[in-house]
């Protein structure tokens, strides 16, 4: 099965993506003209004999269509493309957060402001770091009083990022939790304690 996507802007093909399970982005700016703009997306769910699995062996044929999130994002010429958040040693009493901010577009000097927020929106920590090339590295250490993500209390925090550059501003938020999940020879462990997982497959 497959889910091939083709994207056109005002009748001109601008992108193709073969796979309904991975995200992709298309930059529309070079294809825009004054007045109305028509963005067209076609999804083809036909079975492709070159891409397994196949419907004749297992029931794995998918429906075609936009069955996952689609968004139109308007940004400055320099924007936050992606963010990777890590929580080293989440079981330590004083916690740490590391974030790698990846930028897109072009621009000269830039700075990323990062604010770490709790579930109520209260500020836990703040930092501003310069951009080096197309990335910025955020580091928070010694964070005390933060809660672990638990099944009974799935505590989440928010990293709110603002990029300021000569090309303007862009912002992005990422939600994450502090947790340690490990598969061991004796079973699955959440925060060092065994947890029985039940379900199909």
């Amino acid at each position: 099965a497959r889910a091939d996507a083709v994207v056109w802007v005002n009748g001109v093909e601008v992108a193709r993506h073969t796979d309904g399970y991975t995200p992709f982005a298309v930059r529309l700016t070079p294809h825009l003209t004054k007045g109305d703009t028509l963005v067209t997306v076609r999804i083809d769910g036909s079975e492709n004999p070159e891409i397994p699995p196949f419907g004749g062996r297992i029931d794995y044929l998918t429906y075609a269509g936009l069955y996952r999130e689609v968004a139109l994002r308007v940004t400055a010429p320099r924007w936050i493309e992606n963010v990777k958040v890590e929580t080293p040693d989440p079981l330590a009493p004083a916690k740490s957060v590391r974030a790698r901010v990846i930028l897109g577009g072009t621009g000269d000097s830039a700075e990323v402001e990062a604010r770490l927020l709790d579930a109520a929106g209260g500020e836990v920590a703040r930092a501003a770091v310069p951009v080096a090339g197309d990335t910025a590295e955020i580091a928070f250490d010694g964070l005390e009083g933060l809660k672990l993500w638990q099944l009974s209390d799935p505590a989440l925090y928010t990293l709110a990022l603002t990029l300021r550059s000569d090309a303007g501003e862009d912002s992005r938020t990422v939600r994450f939790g502090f947790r340690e999940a490990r598969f061991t020879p004796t079973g699955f462990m959440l925060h060092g304690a065994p947890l029985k997982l039940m379900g199909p497959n």
Side-chain angles (χ1 to χ4, degrees):
R2 71 174 182 173
D4 289 352
V6 184
V7 181
W8 291 268
V9 175
N10 294 326
V12 177
E13 183 180 317
V14 297
R16 285 179 175 262
H17 185 75
T18 301
D19 183 11
Y21 297 96
T22 57
F24 72 102
V26 182
R27 190 166 187 215
L28 304 181
T29 303
H31 310 286
L32 300 180
T33 58
K34 288 186 178 181
D36 293 340
T37 297
L38 176 64
V39 177
T40 307
V41 181
R42 185 191 71 197
I43 308 297
D44 182 355
S46 303
E47 186 170 21
N48 183 343
E50 297 180 358
I51 305 175
F54 307 111
R57 297 184 182 175
I58 60 174
D59 185 14
Y60 202 74
L61 293 180
T62 61
Y63 296 104
L66 298 177
Y67 62 93
R68 295 199 176 183
E69 180 182 274
V70 176
L72 178 63
R73 188 169 181 217
V74 180
T75 70
R78 190 136 165 93
W79 67 89
I80 299 173
E81 179 76 32
N82 204 351
V83 184
K84 180 183 181 184
V85 177
E86 295 181 342
T87 56
D89 197 9
L91 303 185
K95 304 193 185 317
S96 299
V97 175
R98 297 287 182 271
R100 182 177 179 85
V101 183
I102 302 168
L103 305 184
T106 58
D108 295 326
S109 62
E111 178 182 80
V112 173
E113 179 188 73
R115 296 189 307 132
L116 180 60
L117 309 175
D118 62 21
E123 187 172 286
V124 176
R126 177 192 293 251
V129 299
V131 171
D134 289 329
T135 61
E137 304 287 343
I138 309 292
F140 293 120
D141 292 304
L143 303 172
E144 297 185 345
L146 302 188
K147 298 164 62 174
L148 288 175
W149 185 96
Q150 303 274 11
L151 291 178
S152 58
D153 181 16
L156 292 177
Y157 293 84
T158 298
L159 185 65
L161 301 165
T162 302
L163 168 68
R164 296 185 177 93
S165 73
D166 296 341
E169 284 193 7
D170 189 37
S171 60
R172 191 159 183 175
T173 59
V174 180
R175 297 177 75 202
F176 67 96
F178 293 89
R179 61 186 176 187
E180 182 190 69
R182 293 187 300 119
F183 285 95
T184 73
T186 57
F188 178 74
M189 309 287 279
L190 179 65
H191 307 319
L195 176 67
K196 183 70 174 177
L197 299 179
M198 299 182 67
N201 300 323

